Amino acid sequence: MTTPAPLITRATAHDVAELRQLYFAVYGSDYRIKLGTCPQTMADTIADPAVTWLVARLHGSGQVIASALLRRDPAARIGRLEGVAVHPDHRVAGLAAGMLERLCAEALGPAGELDSVYAAARTATRGPQRMLLRTGFRPMGVLPNATLFRRREHIALMVRHRDGVLARRAVPPRLSPEVRPLAQAAERAAGIGVSPAVPTAIPAPPPARPRERQVEFERIEAADFVRRRHQELQGARGNVFYPFHQPNTMLTPVGGGFEVYAALDPSLLTCALVDITPDVLLTASLLEQIVESVEAAGARYVEALLPLRDQDALRAFHAQGFVPSALYPAMRRVGDSFEDYVVVSRAPHHLDFRTADIDPSLRPYIEHYCTAWTSTYLTTTDSKESA
């Protein structure tokens, strides 16, 4: 007798307890994300109108055996896949992929409201990467040491677009040497052309800037105040773009002068630099001290999201040890076209790819990152002469 296929439905608040059991069965006690451990966070997420949370239930018992959700940012027209899990005792071929396809078809189809959807896939095993590749996602980068389970793990950025969006990209005519190798990796890994062909060259290490006088920072961790303050500034400036990241920490020098807004996750020991005001270039030489300050607050991985067209900002971050790690093509709609963005990251602790199980489609990004990290942090006699 054929067993009926699991029934896929929307999650409800009554599913929270079973969902927590599901995530524990899949990830064990090392799962640190509130989405699978905190009942209030999970209930709030299920009730959020910007979230579609699907679960798969066994026929008869109704037991929850799989989960996947899509979080939408309607203003940015971007979605983020989260919480994909299938119970080890009930793995059915294609179950998770079918749930993802349903979420993406709804969001990116003719009646959908999004232009792209992205997912962060673990690299401890190839399963999540291959599932996303099978459902139309393109590999767009690897973020080393970007999350924490039993140990620090690398994350693969995977992106899927609405039909026709990539054809409307507005890309710079030329790229700086710091970003060009990432663009070439995207060409090899995902067939995403970024700029006219130019001779391949490894950029010289960024020149060592004279360290500015030591700046003493005040750190404000009142999340509601920080968000309100940033929203006031953002309303006046209107150019901050970092979907799904709300600042919860602010750094400012004693006596004022500028403000740094960061999204700090103490459970994962990660930090996203959401905004630096009034202008990142005015504080470029202080980025090293800014990073030291968020590291003192617990961050072991720091990233920023920058427009590909802003070559000056990309150079400034690269000069302070940030490596271009992932490309998000056609991320932001501007008028009738779309702009590419780059994720730059700093992972100052030990890098180890030996335990990673990475799909071959992502290998160009690993090769790019290793070369870029070496050219940034290891200065040889030859590189000093070429610089």
Side-chain angles (χ1 to χ4, degrees):
M1 182 176 177
T2 303
T3 303
L7 179 66
I8 298 176
T9 66
R10 296 284 291 263
T12 72
H14 299 294
D15 295 321
V16 168
E18 280 198 81
L19 283 166
R20 292 181 68 201
Q21 294 173 1
L22 169 65
Y23 288 111
F24 183 83
V26 173
Y27 297 108
S29 59
D30 298 306
Y31 198 67
R32 301 168 182 265
I33 299 174
K34 288 186 177 181
L35 189 67
T37 57
C38 175
Q40 188 60 55
T41 297
M42 298 171 74
D44 291 345
T45 302
I46 290 171
D48 189 340
V51 172
T52 301
W53 194 331
L54 298 181
V55 293
R57 308 175 191 274
L58 286 179
H59 276 273
S61 68
Q63 178 189 353
V64 173
I65 60 168
S67 166
L69 69 91
L70 178 68
R71 194 184 302 271
R72 300 180 299 278
D73 184 330
R77 298 180 59 86
I78 289 175
R80 181 175 69 191
L81 284 172
E82 302 177 38
V84 181
V86 179
H87 195 287
D89 295 337
H90 300 282
R91 287 190 174 146
V92 179
L95 177 57
M99 296 172 74
L100 296 192
E101 185 58 43
R102 177 167 163 176
L103 289 169
C104 290
E106 177 184 327
L108 300 174
E113 60 182 348
L114 303 183
D115 294 316
S116 65
V117 171
Y118 76 91
R122 292 180 66 187
T123 58
T125 174
R126 293 191 190 185
Q129 305 158 51
R130 289 181 169 174
M131 175 183 60
L132 290 165
L133 291 169
R134 286 196 301 268
T135 51
F137 283 77
R138 288 180 172 88
M140 296 312 309
V142 174
L143 309 177
N145 290 340
T147 193
L148 179 65
F149 281 87
R150 292 183 180 86
R151 61 178 69 87
R152 295 220 69 85
E153 291 186 13
H154 319 306
I155 290 295
L157 176 66
M158 317 287 277
V159 184
R160 177 171 167 175
H161 292 83
R162 177 193 291 272
D163 289 345
V165 166
L166 289 174
R168 295 161 58 189
R169 293 166 57 229
V171 298
R174 294 186 65 83
L175 299 179
S176 67
E178 294 82 6
V179 181
R180 193 179 303 134
L182 173 63
Q184 293 167 338
E187 176 76 36
R188 293 162 53 203
I192 301 292
V194 177
S195 64
V198 293
T200 302
I202 298 174
R209 293 174 177 264
R211 186 178 177 90
E212 295 280 328
R213 63 180 178 82
Q214 189 68 32
V215 174
E216 182 182 353
F217 286 97
E218 293 180 324
R219 187 169 70 244
I220 301 170
E221 297 180 332
D224 288 341
F225 167 79
V226 170
R227 279 192 290 270
R228 288 197 306 271
R229 169 72 175 166
H230 186 247
Q231 286 170 357
E232 293 170 0
L233 292 174
Q234 188 175 3
R237 297 160 66 224
N239 196 38
V240 177
F241 181 75
Y242 216 135
F244 305 111
H245 287 73
Q246 289 290 332
N248 57 13
T249 303
M250 183 174 77
L251 300 173
T252 185
V254 174
F258 63 89
E259 296 173 358
V260 179
Y261 292 87
L264 185 66
D265 188 333
S267 62
L268 298 180
L269 308 180
T270 62
C271 176
L273 297 180
V274 176
D275 193 13
I276 300 177
T277 179
D279 187 343
V280 64
L281 294 179
L282 296 178
T283 57
S285 60
L286 295 172
L287 273 174
E288 180 73 26
Q289 294 183 53
I290 291 170
V291 171
E292 289 174 356
S293 296
V294 296
E295 288 177 349
R300 295 296 176 267
Y301 166 87
V302 184
E303 72 175 27
L305 181 68
L306 302 173
L308 181 62
R309 59 173 166 77
D310 194 346
Q311 301 290 297
D312 290 337
L314 287 163
R315 288 191 188 96
F317 273 83
H318 182 68
Q320 299 302 327
F322 283 80
V323 176
S325 306
L327 175 71
Y328 197 128
M331 186 177 193
R332 187 180 191 181
R333 178 182 287 201
V334 180
D336 293 329
S337 60
F338 292 85
E339 289 191 341
D340 294 358
Y341 274 71
V342 175
V343 181
V344 295
S345 66
R346 263 187 54 148
H349 38 278
H350 181 60
L351 289 171
D352 189 350
F353 291 102
R354 292 174 300 175
T355 58
D357 189 5
I358 296 176
D359 188 83
S361 64
L362 288 156
R363 186 168 298 279
Y365 296 111
I366 299 294
E367 295 170 352
H368 148 69
Y369 188 90
C370 291
T371 300
W373 191 95
T374 300
S375 67
T376 300
Y377 287 100
L378 297 181
T379 304
T380 64
T381 302
D382 291 342
S383 61
K384 287 180 180 178
E385 292 175 352
S386 63

